[in-house]
Amino acid sequence: MKQKLPEPMLQALAEAEAAAARGEVPVGAVIVSPAGEIIASAGNRTLQHKDPTAHAELLAIRQAAQGVGSERLMNCDIYVTLEPCAMCAAAISFARIRRVYFAASDEKMGAVENGLRFFNHPTCHHVPEVYSGIGETAAQSLLINFFRLRR
């Protein structure tokens, strides 16, 4: 039986699809308030913005912080289609995001369960709860198809 994905992950996947349509690596992120409302969503825009920091997670964090009027996103959760890199993991920690839900693992650049494992370092001041594999098949398919077309 297929598991129904939570609405925020469905929205993150839609952001990833939109990123792919723009020629960006298909990664999407959504931030959910403590009340369970989606308060920010974004897809990668590194090419469009000519900015290597324009990852979906950072764009969503910026949007959410502006929306709540604080640099801290206490008790908010982030849903992202790909395991966050070191830069995004650091931003998640700095924003004090409560939980990270991600779909596909990233053995090459991921920094949560792979590679650096940012949240496991003793110098990491805020460690969110992490849940992986939610929507993994859909996210992996988007990434595989995107890169297959480019090679």
Side-chain angles (χ1 to χ4, degrees), residues 67-151:
V68 301
S70 173
E71 75 281 11
R72 301 284 187 242
L73 299 174
M74 305 294 284
N75 298 313
C76 289
D77 301 332
I78 189 167
Y79 290 77
V80 62
T81 60
L82 185 64
E83 178 180 358
C85 70
M87 174 180 66
C88 293
I92 288 165
S93 179
F94 293 155
R96 306 296 193 266
I97 290 175
R98 175 179 58 180
R99 294 184 192 111
V100 176
Y101 298 91
F102 72 85
S105 291
D106 185 350
E107 292 178 11
K108 187 174 181 182
M109 293 298 293
V112 176
E113 291 183 347
N114 290 287
L116 178 65
R117 297 184 182 193
F118 185 87
F119 302 131
N120 291 349
H121 282 261
T123 58
C124 181
H125 293 289
H126 171 75
V127 178
E129 295 174 30
V130 175
Y131 302 91
S132 61
I134 298 137
E136 181 175 30
T137 302
Q140 283 178 337
S141 291
L142 271 173
L143 288 159
I144 289 167
N145 291 334
F146 178 83
F147 286 112
R148 183 178 291 141
L149 292 173
R150 276 149 185 76
R151 293 186 176 132

